[in-house]
Amino acid sequence: MKEKDNFEMIINFKRAFMGRRNQRTKRAIKMIRNTVQRHFGAEKVIIDPLLAKSITYNGRDKIVRKVRVAVKKIGEKTYLVRLALKSE
């Protein structure tokens, strides 16, 4: 599990666009949480407020299509999810 202590991934919000428009943000945050739990076996997932703000920079019902996140292990089965910046 050492290789999954610091990890970057891209999460696609295609399924968050199904259903009502005013539920997109809630569905996108839930998708981030479920993806991290599925890939890392996490029990607690902490989402950085800057990440939540960057998803909804156009408004609650106009979210971004994809987001690049950095997942960091901060405790036993506890992970922090932050917005990853491209390093070029």
Side-chain angles (χ1 to χ4, degrees), residues 3 13 55:
E3 67 275 358
F13 293 135
I55 291 171

Side-chain angles (χ1 to χ4, degrees), residues 26-42:
K26 183 179 176 182
R27 213 174 295 126
I29 296 294
K30 198 178 280 189
M31 284 178 66
I32 293 172
R33 199 174 304 274
N34 290 339
T35 304
V36 172
Q37 286 175 347
R38 186 174 71 238
H39 283 282
F40 297 94

Side-chain angles (χ1 to χ4, degrees), residues 11-17 28 31-32 55 63-65 67:
I11 299 175
N12 191 352
F13 293 135
K14 181 179 179 181
R15 296 193 56 99
F17 282 85
M31 284 178 66
I32 293 172
I55 291 171
I63 62 173
V64 295
R65 290 286 178 165
V67 69

Side-chain angles (χ1 to χ4, degrees), residues 12-26:
N12 191 352
F13 293 135
K14 181 179 179 181
R15 296 193 56 99
F17 282 85
M18 296 180 184
R20 292 184 301 199
R21 288 177 67 142
N22 59 355
Q23 296 290 319
R24 287 181 183 169
T25 302
K26 183 179 176 182

